[in-house]
Amino acid sequence: MADLSIEFCGIKSINPFWLASAPPTDKAYNVVRAFEAGWGGVVWKTLGEDPAAVNVSSRYSAHYGKNREVLGFNNIELITDRSLALNLEEITQVKKDWPDRVIIVSLMLPCEERLWADILPLVEATGADGIELNFGCPHGMPERGMGAAVGQVPEYVEMVTRWCKQNTRLPVIVKLTPNITDVRAPARAAKAGGADAVSLINTINSITHLDLDQMVAFPIVGGASTHGGYCGSAVKPIALNMVAEIARDPQTAGLPISGIGGIGNWRDAAEFMALGSGCVQVCTAAMLHGFRIVEEMKDGLSRWMDQKGYKSIADFVGKAVPNTTDWKYLNMNYQVIAQINQDDCIKCGRCYVACEDTSHQSINQLIDAVTGVRTYEVNKQECVGCNLCEITCPVQGCITMVPQDTGKPYMNWTQDPRNPRAEKVVEAA
């Protein structure tokens, strides 16, 4: 049976599933329930200086799919609104009661070294396993010079990280903002400051939808609104890309990564790990479905690992990184063509409409003159292998993309004679 235990930047955890710093980790009651459900660790909701932050009423909104499925979740809640002393007291007790579980304490303070130097010994005294520097919160706190206001300036990231490393023996994890042009810059800065790991992504600036009668966005606070932090399954593709960018960057090579963003099941977690995450953090899925989702996550990941022959998490962490490259190094001579399985086709015509209206007009619609039955066939000469038909098809597996033997060797864009700036020989990165 697969071993789900991990060691992340020197911290041992019974499994790689942690709850992210958020409402689910706001207080001892929630955290204890999470540990009882089987979570390996938590990142305690961000602590700050006293007096504690004050939150507004009406804090969440959502982007819905069909049948009110929550695709994305938006919040304008700030860091903890409870006193520092109360939080520290509860962290101490919970860690004492659950010594085999990981507790990381999230912190956010103004950019004054004295404030960080003062709070770090207090956190260390709780017995917590590490700290996470919240440089990612995109709402409310940046207006006060904290959160993403720090995370968007690599020099600040490096400076505060170094302060923390100089004032605590605990591992320092730097939480990065996605609201930036190139996430590698703050990751490099964190490493330069001595960070033991980075975690990403934090939430994305967003407005989910509006009330068109009142002409105000949600969540509505006294007739007004503001942008908030977007999370949930909709942000997973963005998070995966940013994790991969750091994992394959030579300047941050070997820097442990805690993956965050849209993780709702074991497969999501495995994908983050394959791109370099040593552990994962979950928030939205737990808020929508409860703490017990970790049972399916652990069971599913364990079964998949057994099926693939992976004995430990470390066996596959980062295995997809070498296969993730820059566009210019992709094989220009590789070719796939769509193939429709007529036995599975339900004749809905979605593939035809999508291709005919918006793509390459490479699917033919054939209508039987007697029965009126429609049949759809791929015009192989016109198909460029874009995958649109496969994506729009409602029947999984009905349309497949079949690799073609072109008889041509590997050639990337830097070598392609059609490239006016082609180089003589450039191997794939």
Side-chain angles (χ1 to χ4, degrees), residues 271-323:
E271 291 175 4
F272 272 85
M273 293 172 189
L275 282 174
S277 299
C279 69
V280 294
Q281 298 183 33
V282 179
C283 173
T284 308
M287 293 181 73
L288 294 174
H289 305 294
F291 289 150
R292 290 295 176 186
I293 60 170
V294 75
E295 296 176 356
E296 183 275 336
M297 289 179 171
K298 292 189 296 182
D299 181 67
L301 184 62
S302 178
R303 290 174 182 271
W304 174 77
M305 289 172 62
D306 287 342
Q307 180 185 358
K308 295 296 182 180
Y310 297 129
K311 297 185 183 302
S312 70
I313 300 292
D315 288 348
F316 69 93
V317 168
K319 288 205 74 170
V321 175
N323 299 323

Side-chain angles (χ1 to χ4, degrees), residues 21-56:
S21 172
T25 62
D26 181 50
K27 53 187 175 293
Y29 178 84
N30 303 72
V31 171
V32 169
R33 284 180 61 85
F35 287 162
E36 289 173 344
W39 291 88
V42 303
V43 182
W44 202 279
K45 185 172 172 66
T46 306
L47 310 187
E49 59 182 344
D50 283 331
V54 179
N55 278 297
V56 295

Side-chain angles (χ1 to χ4, degrees), residues 184 187-188 191-192 246 248-255:
R184 294 175 300 179
R188 292 167 182 168
K191 185 176 182 181
I246 294 172
R248 67 189 190 93
D249 180 10
Q251 295 187 48
T252 50
L255 183 64

Side-chain angles (χ1 to χ4, degrees), residues 180-204:
I180 193 168
T181 303
D182 188 347
V183 75
R184 294 175 300 179
R188 292 167 182 168
K191 185 176 182 181
D196 297 282
V198 292
S199 58
L200 69 155
I201 60 174
N202 209 314
T203 53
I204 301 171

